[in-house]
Amino acid sequence: MVDIPSVSVHELKTLLDSNDAFVLLDTRRDGDAKKYWISSSKRLHMSVHELTKKFAELPKNKPLYILDKSGKRSALISRFLVSKGFNDLTM
């Protein structure tokens, strides 16, 4: 099993405000994503269902930060992405 690092909300906010190149993969349900909107060009909203079909569209040359409401979904998605060859993942 792969150990995926995690960041706090405050660390994520600092990253979003930085010039660092990464993708924030927002896997929250539509209602939560709309209610707690993150306005950033780094954000990509994708449901788990979409992700299983479109994971090849995600860049492997940039870090991926996986966001969900509770952390359960991001752990599942991280394992899935590792199995597809993604290495630079953070929850």
Side-chain angles (χ1 to χ4, degrees), residues 33-52:
K34 289 176 184 172
K35 185 175 181 181
Y36 305 104
W37 186 257
I38 297 172
S39 181
S40 173
S41 61
K42 298 172 185 176
R43 178 185 170 269
L44 173 63
H45 184 250
M46 194 179 288
S47 70
V48 174
H49 180 70
E50 286 177 294
L51 182 64
T52 60

Side-chain angles (χ1 to χ4, degrees), residues 38-75:
I38 297 172
S39 181
S40 173
S41 61
K42 298 172 185 176
R43 178 185 170 269
L44 173 63
H45 184 250
M46 194 179 288
S47 70
V48 174
H49 180 70
E50 286 177 294
L51 182 64
T52 60
K53 295 178 180 180
K54 297 182 177 182
F55 69 88
E57 296 175 15
L58 296 173
K60 287 188 176 180
N61 62 340
K62 291 182 183 178
L64 292 176
Y65 287 78
I66 304 164
L67 173 68
D68 75 21
K69 186 175 180 180
S70 69
K72 292 178 184 178
R73 195 175 306 122
S74 58

